[in-house]
Amino acid sequence: MSKKKKKLLSVIIIFGLFITSWIFADTVSNSYQKDSVTQIYLDKFEEPIYSTLYYIVNYYYDKDNVDYDKIVDSAIEGMMKGLDDPFAWYLDSVETEESQIDIEAKYGGVGLTIRYDYEMDAVIIVSPMNGTPAQRAGIMPNDYILSVDGTPTSELGLNKSASLMRGEPGTEVTLEIYRDSWTEPKNITLIREIIETKTVKFDTINYKNKNLGYILLTNFAKTSSQEMSEALNNLSNQNIEGLIIDLRNNPGGLLQSAVDIISMFLKSGEVVSVKYFDGTKESIPTIPGNYYSFLQNIPIVLLVNEGSASASEILTGALKDNGIATVIGETTYGKAAVQNVFALSTGGEIWLPIAHYFTPSGSDIHLKGIKPDIEISNPEREVISMTEISEEEATEAFYTTTEKPVLNIEEDLQLKTALDFLTGGN
């Protein structure tokens, strides 16, 4: 996995919330035609690859312990790296499972946010999610998961531990939990349920005697447009005098979800234009009937940073270029690659850039990003410990399954700047 890709992947696994940055087209069947051009390259690859495999099978001193699935995964990943394109990826079967869960925004599991503690060589719990089996069982932040169904997490690692804890609703999974205040670990058996994460969180903020709306959009999943519609329906009854849409650290998601959501804020016009690998071009317009008319009379602010990528930048470009919103924060990531997903027999997928998109004004933001109208950075926080879970981090993880955002106006300079802008303050 490339450094660029790793930068866009969260270090936290939210039992199925494996956040990536993409514009997602339909997954294409792994069937293909061996045309004459393709055959030329197949002939070129065949001899060195088969020869290498032959030497491993026949001469490698540890040949009886070779993991050939891993060799296949590594070979495919190497091919994608050979393109020297930061947005050409290979996801193995475990990573593919994670990304699909992110798209669906629901899965069968126990409702935990976790990360890996390399000092303890075990999985540490950031927080259980509200209303889930893990919360009801009394599991707490900073607890350690030593094993899943008897297999040590030190052997499984983060992704495989997460995968093993997921499963069909109604089935059991046993976690070996250790807490600092305990004298010894305890086995806790949980019954898996459907866990639904929320990609849209909203609230109202009373600031300087003005009632303002706030919407946090974490990524663009299948459920996001419906969640955004519910948020706007709620806020339309709150007599808000301004609206903040927070896209910070939103790495993207489904293109269709982005178009649906943009059409709620932009009544008509172009959302984005796309130029494909074969030279054809497409202009994608807004969807009639999605627009919320109460928004035309209130100012809108978009909060962005360098973690705002892909579909987030499509939304930002569409509202900025059409004069709908003021953009505050930091220059966005700069990803205008349109990827298509090709399923492979390994259970993995290759994510291949097949097109390039442009904002409504024709701007090419690829590897450049979108510069905000008002540039402001949040001060970097000092990292005291890579293992201890902060209260803020645990609280955010706890509300993953709810519509409630976690706000800290005093310490969030970008949010405070947006609020001051909407209230005419300094």
Side-chain angles (χ1 to χ4, degrees):
M1 192 181 298
S2 68
K3 290 182 179 179
K4 287 270 189 178
K5 181 182 172 188
K6 285 182 178 178
K7 182 178 179 182
L8 288 173
L9 296 182
S10 173
V11 296
I12 295 178
I13 297 292
I14 306 179
F15 272 41
L17 201 58
F18 185 83
I19 297 184
T20 57
S21 173
W22 70 87
I23 301 173
F24 187 87
D26 289 335
T27 300
V28 176
S29 169
N30 58 1
S31 62
Y32 60 92
Q33 292 184 346
K34 294 183 181 179
D35 55 63
S36 58
V37 175
T38 304
Q39 190 63 53
I40 292 173
Y41 291 104
L42 287 174
D43 293 341
K44 181 180 179 67
F45 278 97
E46 185 176 16
E47 197 286 326
I49 290 176
Y50 283 2
S51 294
T52 301
L53 184 60
Y54 174 83
Y55 296 138
I56 291 172
V57 171
N58 290 282
Y59 297 106
Y60 180 50
Y61 79 101
D62 199 23
K63 60 185 180 182
D64 293 335
N65 296 315
V66 171
D67 183 345
Y68 288 98
D69 289 338
K70 186 174 182 180
I71 287 179
V72 172
D73 284 337
S74 298
I76 300 170
E77 184 174 6
M79 291 175 68
M80 300 306 288
K81 286 183 177 179
L83 295 176
D84 199 24
D85 187 318
F87 305 113
W89 306 339
Y90 172 63
L91 302 186
D92 63 26
S93 58
V94 174
E95 293 168 330
T96 295
E97 180 185 10
E98 298 288 350
S99 67
Q100 186 59 39
I101 289 170
D102 186 36
I103 286 293
E104 297 291 340
K106 65 179 180 180
Y107 58 95
V110 296
L112 285 170
T113 301
I114 60 173
R115 68 181 185 208
Y116 202 81
D117 184 337
Y118 289 95
E119 293 181 9
M120 289 288 289
D121 199 17
V123 168
I124 188 171
I125 293 170
V126 177
S127 177
M129 300 174 190
N130 184 49
T132 63
Q135 186 216 359
R136 293 194 296 271
I139 294 175
M140 298 176 63
N142 288 304
D143 284 351
Y144 283 92
I145 303 175
L146 302 184
S147 69
V148 181
D149 282 338
T151 304
T153 55
S154 59
E155 296 178 10
L156 292 169
L158 184 63
N159 286 345
K160 288 184 179 178
S161 294
S163 182
L164 196 57
M165 282 185 265
R166 290 191 297 266
E168 287 295 320
T171 59
E172 293 184 351
V173 61
T174 299
L175 309 182
E176 184 184 9
I177 303 292
Y178 175 74
R179 186 174 298 167
D180 285 342
S181 60
W182 295 349
T183 57
E184 59 183 21
K186 298 179 182 180
N187 286 327
I188 298 177
T189 298
L190 304 173
I191 307 297
R192 298 182 179 96
E193 297 177 0
I194 289 292
I195 308 298
E196 296 190 43
T197 61
K198 293 293 185 179
T199 64
V200 176
K201 301 174 183 297
F202 63 94
D203 206 347
T204 57
I205 303 172
N206 190 278
Y207 189 80
K208 296 183 178 178
N209 296 319
K210 281 199 172 184
N211 189 38
L212 305 173
Y214 172 87
I215 297 176
L216 171 65
L217 179 58
T218 63
N219 65 300
F220 293 79
K222 284 185 177 180
T223 58
S224 297
S225 59
Q226 178 59 38
E227 291 177 34
M228 180 63 77
S229 180
E230 292 170 1
L232 291 175
N233 283 333
N234 183 287
L235 293 175
S236 67
N237 297 319
Q238 302 295 323
N239 296 317
I240 59 172
E241 301 169 79
L243 177 64
I244 296 170
I245 306 172
D246 195 341
L247 298 173
R248 290 176 296 177
N249 300 314
N250 180 324
L254 296 169
L255 175 59
Q256 186 58 56
S257 178
V259 175
D260 289 343
I261 290 173
I262 291 167
S263 301
M264 298 177 191
F265 298 90
L266 181 62
K267 188 174 184 179
S268 61
E270 183 181 83
V271 170
V272 68
S273 62
V274 182
K275 182 177 181 181
Y276 292 94
F277 64 93
D278 59 0
T280 58
K281 297 180 180 179
E282 178 185 14
S283 176
I284 300 177
T286 58
I287 299 173
N290 275 25
Y291 182 66
Y292 278 79
S293 58
F294 84 96
L295 296 170
Q296 65 185 342
N297 298 318
I298 62 173
I300 298 174
V301 166
L302 296 180
L303 281 179
V304 298
N305 63 8
E306 61 180 5
S308 307
S310 195
S312 293
E313 294 173 294
I314 291 180
L315 191 155
T316 301
L319 299 194
K320 185 176 190 291
D321 286 2
N322 284 282
I324 302 298
T326 300
V327 182
I328 294 177
E330 301 163 279
T331 300
T332 61
Y333 184 82
K335 179 182 181 292
V338 180
Q339 293 158 298
N340 211 336
V341 180
F342 298 84
L344 302 180
S345 60
T346 61
E349 300 170 338
I350 59 172
W351 294 52
L352 196 66
I354 63 164
H356 198 90
Y357 78 76
F358 301 85
T359 69
S361 66
S363 296
D364 180 2
I365 65 140
H366 197 56
L367 302 181
K368 295 180 289 187
I370 299 174
K371 187 175 180 179
D373 299 303
I374 300 174
E375 197 158 2
I376 184 76
S377 298
N378 275 339
E380 293 186 9
R381 295 182 181 180
E382 182 181 357
V383 178
I384 300 175
S385 170
M386 291 298 292
T387 58
E388 186 176 355
I389 309 301
S390 69
E391 182 178 350
E392 182 179 4
E393 186 180 9
T395 301
E396 289 180 356
F398 179 80
Y399 287 118
T400 299
T401 50
T402 76
E403 299 169 341
K404 181 179 175 62
V406 179
L407 303 174
N408 190 337
I409 298 172
E410 293 306 315
E411 294 186 12
D412 190 340
L413 187 56
Q414 292 169 333
L415 175 58
K416 190 174 186 303
T417 300
L419 293 170
D420 286 334
F421 175 82
L422 292 174
T423 56
N426 296 314

